[in-house]
Amino acid sequence: MQKLRELFRILFTFDPTARLDLFATFPLIRRFFTHRSNLAILRTFGDFAFTGLILLGLFGPQDPERNISLFLAWGIWWTGVVLSWFFVGKFWCGVCPFLGIGRLLQRFGLSLNLDPPHALRKYFIHIAVLLFAAIIWAESVADMKHWPLGTAVLLLTILFGATAMGMLFKGQAWCRYICPLGKVIGAGATMSMIELRPTPGLCRSCETTACKKGRPGLRGCPVYLGAHNIRNSLDCLLCGRCVLLCDRESPRLLLRNPFVELVAVKGRDLSCTFIIPFLAGSQWARYIDKNDWYHTFTSTFFNSAALSFTVLLTLCFAAFLGIITFGNHLLGFRRSKLPIHCSPMIPVLTPLVFSGELIYRLDYLLSEAGRFPQVFARQFGLAVEGFSFVIPTWPLTTLSLVILVLGYLGSLYVTFLFKHRKSQPPPENFSSGSLQALVGTVTLVYLFLVFW
Ligand code: SF4
Ligand code: SF4
Ligand code: SF4
């Protein structure tokens, strides 16, 4: 009972230092990470599931009414991953099947084992955003959610990227630097309820740093980080390898208030500075693209859907960058005071952007769920025609509204924390009312786009 009370206190009151050590409180969780077979079972399941998805997409029927890979990939998998950001951060990356082949080749010595080059380390986020833009573009323009072959090719492309980089570089350079999914999941994980962090007192005197370098028979951190270097939730894959490697039991899985990291980092992170505006801009573009009026309107200017969506995506991205610049101004931060990647408006809008993505994905999941039994039956030649159901619109509308309101309240709460944190008083020209009005306006735009 006391544990439960402590758990609620940490989650629902903002104390930047309050944490619950989940390894100490629930030793089973620690045991889950130290028994490698647990993660191996999950990964093997993922390997089989994704191989099945790819094969179904490549060789199964191309009629979306007869191929279950679409709903499984876009409805179950990706919606599940988006939902998991909040609860378990980057845990998906710990069991991700895209790395399987690369890891196997490395184990057999079929990798050049190079160090990632300077250019990759410098321009990683630009490459990641471009790749993410390509995925969003293809998803909308090529209507991937109704194209089994396209979906399979997309998954194969990510698999190919991870494998090729595994053959070139040591560890998992793909994950550390340019995986677009990993970067989006990482940005979402900054608002997660959990974090993996070292115990500084134990690491200070550590001479082996086995968590990063590994030890005989067990390779070190796949993303060149090591538990002692974890400062945020962006890069750590939550693979648990360091938990096994550290003989001082320094890495801890901690429960925290989900806003702690947003407020502490204040947008001083390159990945979020690029990913959050692009994710938000792409959501606006995707919501607009779903409307008939948009297609009627643009058909008078463009004779190509690809071109019109490219223009729309660019405009929405630019609009969101404008909002962030204006918000930073209201927050009292002038451009001259900050390097380009410092942007406190990013954490303010992260809860709203997270809500926008969740609503978009749930919309597909819930609207397609009723047809899945029929698609399943058709795919396997079963005679259960007519076995489908329709989820009424109102639960989805209500759920979307609730998620959006929670996102709005989350964003308002971050502005409140920026204003009232005694340890870091806001700049003199901090304009709280205007900032709240800006957050309200962005919410209204979401409201308009989601429900219109
Ligand atoms: S970063 Fe990408 S490839 Fe790596 S584990 Fe995460 S989703 Fe998989
Ligand atoms: S996490 Fe463990 S292995 Fe890594 S530096 Fe700290 S004490 Fe050393
Ligand atoms: S820091 Fe630990 S959990 Fe995170 S990626 Fe490295 S080895 Fe895995």
Side-chain angles (χ1 to χ4, degrees):
M1 194 61 192
Q2 198 183 341
K3 279 180 192 172
L4 208 62
R5 218 175 297 137
E6 179 65 359
L7 200 135
F8 274 96
R9 188 187 72 79
I10 289 172
L11 283 179
F12 297 110
T13 57
F14 186 81
D15 176 352
T17 56
R19 299 287 190 280
L20 181 72
D21 185 341
L22 293 173
F23 282 170
T25 315
F26 305 102
L28 261 182
I29 302 181
R30 185 166 209 287
R31 235 170 287 148
F32 173 82
F33 282 104
T34 49
H35 286 76
R36 299 301 293 169
S37 55
N38 293 327
L39 283 169
I41 289 168
L42 286 179
R43 280 194 199 117
T44 309
F45 173 75
D47 289 347
F48 278 114
F50 269 71
T51 307
L53 277 185
I54 291 172
L55 290 176
L56 280 172
L58 289 178
F59 305 112
Q62 291 305 305
D63 176 1
E65 296 297 322
R66 294 178 173 276
N67 197 317
I68 56 170
S69 68
L70 295 171
F71 182 74
L72 293 178
W74 294 104
I76 305 282
W77 168 60
W78 189 237
T79 310
V81 172
V82 173
L83 196 58
S84 75
W85 297 344
F86 183 70
F87 297 102
V88 289
K90 278 188 94 170
F91 184 70
W92 161 258
C93 289
V95 296
C96 172
F98 293 123
L99 306 170
I101 300 178
R103 227 175 352 219
L104 203 67
L105 295 176
Q106 286 179 341
R107 200 165 296 157
F108 288 122
L110 296 171
S111 165
L112 296 179
N113 228 16
L114 303 172
D115 283 320
H118 176 70
L120 183 65
R121 283 181 275 135
K122 187 169 179 196
Y123 296 110
F124 72 98
I125 194 63
H126 305 86
I127 304 171
V129 170
L130 277 177
L131 290 177
F132 183 55
I135 292 178
I136 293 290
W137 188 87
E139 181 190 344
S140 297
V141 172
D143 197 14
M144 289 268 189
K145 293 203 271 307
H146 296 98
W147 185 24
L149 181 64
T151 299
V153 169
L154 175 65
L155 296 178
L156 273 177
T157 308
I158 299 171
L159 180 67
F160 175 78
T163 306
M165 286 190 68
M167 291 177 72
L168 286 176
F169 304 114
K170 56 177 73 162
Q172 290 163 14
W174 170 262
C175 302
R176 174 66 194 261
Y177 295 112
I178 57 174
C179 175
L181 303 185
K183 291 293 162 217
V184 176
I185 298 171
T190 57
M191 217 186 90
S192 164
M193 286 162 48
I194 62 160
E195 62 181 19
L196 188 86
R197 295 290 186 272
T199 312
L202 294 176
C203 292
R204 222 163 282 139
S205 57
C206 176
E207 285 169 3
T208 65
T209 54
C211 57
K212 182 175 179 184
K213 297 178 188 158
R215 55 175 144 83
L218 195 57
R219 283 172 303 156
C221 174
V223 287
Y224 333 114
L225 195 64
H228 65 303
N229 280 322
I230 306 178
R231 303 279 178 271
N232 54 47
S233 306
L234 285 156
D235 298 318
C236 167
L237 304 181
L238 276 188
C239 70
R241 188 176 285 267
C242 53
V243 181
L244 194 64
L245 283 162
C246 176
D247 50 17
R248 298 183 174 198
E249 299 194 0
S250 170
R252 296 172 304 160
L253 192 68
L254 304 167
L255 186 83
R256 65 181 188 184
N257 180 290
F259 297 104
V260 164
E261 187 169 333
L262 292 181
V263 174
V265 176
K266 265 195 176 168
R268 281 184 292 257
D269 177 83
L270 198 58
S271 297
C272 289
T273 306
F274 278 80
I275 289 290
I276 294 293
F278 186 79
L279 184 62
S282 78
Q283 286 164 7
W284 287 12
R286 282 176 277 157
Y287 281 124
I288 293 172
D289 188 52
K290 278 174 29 172
N291 288 296
D292 291 339
W293 61 260
Y294 161 75
H295 293 283
T296 315
F297 175 70
T298 51
S299 61
T300 51
F301 299 101
F302 304 100
N303 55 7
S304 147
L307 183 61
S308 81
F309 187 75
T310 309
V311 172
L312 178 68
L313 197 59
T314 312
L315 287 178
C316 290
F317 184 40
F320 223 87
L321 277 181
I323 289 169
I324 283 175
T325 309
F326 183 52
N328 284 338
H329 178 80
L330 295 176
L331 271 158
F333 287 85
R334 300 286 176 264
R335 200 179 173 85
S336 58
K337 286 186 186 171
L338 298 172
I340 185 75
H341 55 276
C342 285
S343 179
M345 195 58 193
I346 296 285
V348 167
L349 290 178
T350 298
L352 256 178
V353 176
F354 175 76
S355 306
E357 191 62 25
L358 194 54
I359 294 169
Y360 185 82
R361 298 298 165 188
L362 282 173
D363 179 42
Y364 176 79
L365 173 75
L366 296 181
S367 53
E368 294 289 321
R371 294 220 318 262
F372 182 68
Q374 204 168 52
V375 176
F376 184 90
R378 285 189 193 132
Q379 168 114 51
F380 296 101
L382 303 173
V384 283
E385 283 296 319
F387 182 56
S388 66
F389 58 93
V390 177
I391 297 180
T393 316
W394 68 264
L396 180 58
T397 309
T398 313
L399 185 64
S400 302
L401 200 59
V402 169
I403 295 172
L404 193 60
V405 169
L406 287 177
Y408 169 61
L409 293 177
S411 288
L412 276 191
Y413 188 52
V414 178
T415 64
F416 171 84
L417 291 172
F418 274 155
K419 186 170 181 202
H420 293 283
R421 272 194 75 195
K422 292 190 186 73
S423 57
Q424 284 182 345
E428 275 170 24
N429 43 355
F430 179 93
S431 175
S432 173
S434 313
L435 187 63
Q436 284 164 7
L438 181 63
V439 171
T441 309
V442 175
T443 310
L444 284 177
V445 175
Y446 267 107
L447 201 66
F448 175 73
L449 294 175
V450 172
F451 295 107
W452 195 34

